[in-house]
């Protein structure tokens, strides 16, 4: 869909409304291409959640404020008053996470998608920015020219299924020319999979760079 600048959102992110996914497609779309362009998607538990698709394109959109309240916390600044920051006590950070961030992914969550194109987006203030599991197998894709910043748990993850020794992991993805900054637990995370390529990305001031 070309959203022509449209906004799809809940009025605010509700931590207790755990199933408030903005767009979900699970296991029933086969060879379909799902196309998202010129959209703002915000305030869900997850913005875009797709499983088992042939092709997903996310282009020139804003994916913001999904899976995290983004209140009384800064990923950029030290703590001040009631606002937590990068120098806060670990116990206070964990308590904050338990009460303000979903265990759902947040921004873009893709599983078992064969071909992926994620270009020219601003992905900020989510729990996770982009999280890809077992994608690109017998296919591939690219992630380029995105701003992935200030996401609570992490910026970009290319991973295998946890606790599955037979998981193929995410494969054949080119990640280039992205600005990945001020994310929480990681800027970029990769485990499992083969033939993923990172080049010319700017990873700066993430709580863990990679």
């Amino acid at each position: 869909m070309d959203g022509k600048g449209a906004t799809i959102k809940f009025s605010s992110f509700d931590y207790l409304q755990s199933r408030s996914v903005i767009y979900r497609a699970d296991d029933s779309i086969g060879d379909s291409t799902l196309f998202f362009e010129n959209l703002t998607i915000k305030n869900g538990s997850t913005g875009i959640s797709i499983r088992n698709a042939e092709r997903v394109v996310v282009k020139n959109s804003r994916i913001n404020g999904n899976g995290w309240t983004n209140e009384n916390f800064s990923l950029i600044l030290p703590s001040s008053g009631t606002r937590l920051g990068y120098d806060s006590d670990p116990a206070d950070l964990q308590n904050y996470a338990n009460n303000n961030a979903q265990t759902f992914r947040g921004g873009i969550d893709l599983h078992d998608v064969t071909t992926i194109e994620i270009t020219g987006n601003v992905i900020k203030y989510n729990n996770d920015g982009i999280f890809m599991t077992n994608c690109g197998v017998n296919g591939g894709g690219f992630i380029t020219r995105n701003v992935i910043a200030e996401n609570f748990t992490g910026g970009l993850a290319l991973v295998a299924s946890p606790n599955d020794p037979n998981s193929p992991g995410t494969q054949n993805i080119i990640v280039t020319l992205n600005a990945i900054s001020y994310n929480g637990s990681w800027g970029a995370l990769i485990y499992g999979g083969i033939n993923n390529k990172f080049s010319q990305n700017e990873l700066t001031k993430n709580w863990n760079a990679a």
Side-chain angles (χ1 to χ4, degrees):
M1 71 180 83
D2 185 343
K4 300 185 184 301
T7 296
I8 305 172
K9 67 174 184 175
F10 290 92
S11 58
S12 61
F13 169 67
D14 183 352
Y15 171 71
L16 298 176
Q17 190 177 0
S18 62
R19 295 292 178 183
S20 55
V21 178
I22 301 292
Y23 184 91
R24 181 198 299 273
D26 288 344
D27 299 327
S28 61
I29 51 180
D31 294 334
S32 298
T33 293
L34 298 175
F35 192 93
F36 304 86
E37 183 176 10
N38 296 323
L39 288 164
T40 295
I41 296 175
K42 62 188 297 186
N43 296 340
S45 59
T46 301
I48 297 171
S49 177
I50 298 171
R51 284 169 167 74
N52 295 312
E54 177 64 27
R55 181 172 177 240
V56 172
V57 178
V58 185
K59 183 177 180 181
N60 299 335
S61 294
R62 302 184 71 88
I63 316 295
N64 295 342
N66 299 286
W68 178 32
T69 60
N70 189 27
E71 295 176 349
N72 297 320
F73 194 96
S74 176
L75 287 155
I76 298 176
L77 300 172
S79 57
S80 178
T82 60
R83 186 196 70 215
L84 299 179
Y86 60 77
D87 61 346
S88 294
D89 184 83
D92 291 335
L93 295 174
Q94 185 60 59
N95 182 65
Y96 177 90
N98 291 341
N99 290 282
N100 292 273
Q102 287 284 356
T103 56
F104 295 89
R105 290 304 176 197
I108 300 172
D109 182 25
L110 306 178
H111 288 243
D112 300 289
V113 176
T114 305
T115 303
I116 292 167
E117 303 167 31
I118 301 176
T119 62
N121 304 287
V122 176
I123 302 168
K124 297 180 73 173
Y125 313 128
N126 305 286
N127 185 22
D128 285 309
I130 301 171
F131 205 98
M132 296 166 48
T133 307
N134 298 340
C135 292
V137 179
N138 297 320
F142 52 85
I143 301 170
T144 186
R145 297 186 296 105
N146 301 285
V147 175
I148 305 169
E150 295 180 72
N151 297 289
F152 181 71
T153 297
L156 169 66
L158 310 180
V159 303
S161 298
N163 305 316
D164 180 0
N166 298 314
S167 172
T170 294
Q171 305 177 9
N172 308 317
I173 304 298
I174 297 170
V175 182
T176 187
L177 297 175
N178 299 285
I180 304 173
S181 61
Y182 293 109
N183 297 288
S185 295
W186 62 79
L189 172 68
I190 303 176
Y191 64 84
I194 58 173
N195 198 38
N196 297 301
K197 298 180 175 66
F198 276 68
S199 68
Q200 295 180 282
N201 298 287
E202 187 73 13
L203 279 80
T204 58
K205 299 184 178 179
N206 300 285
W207 288 22
N208 291 292

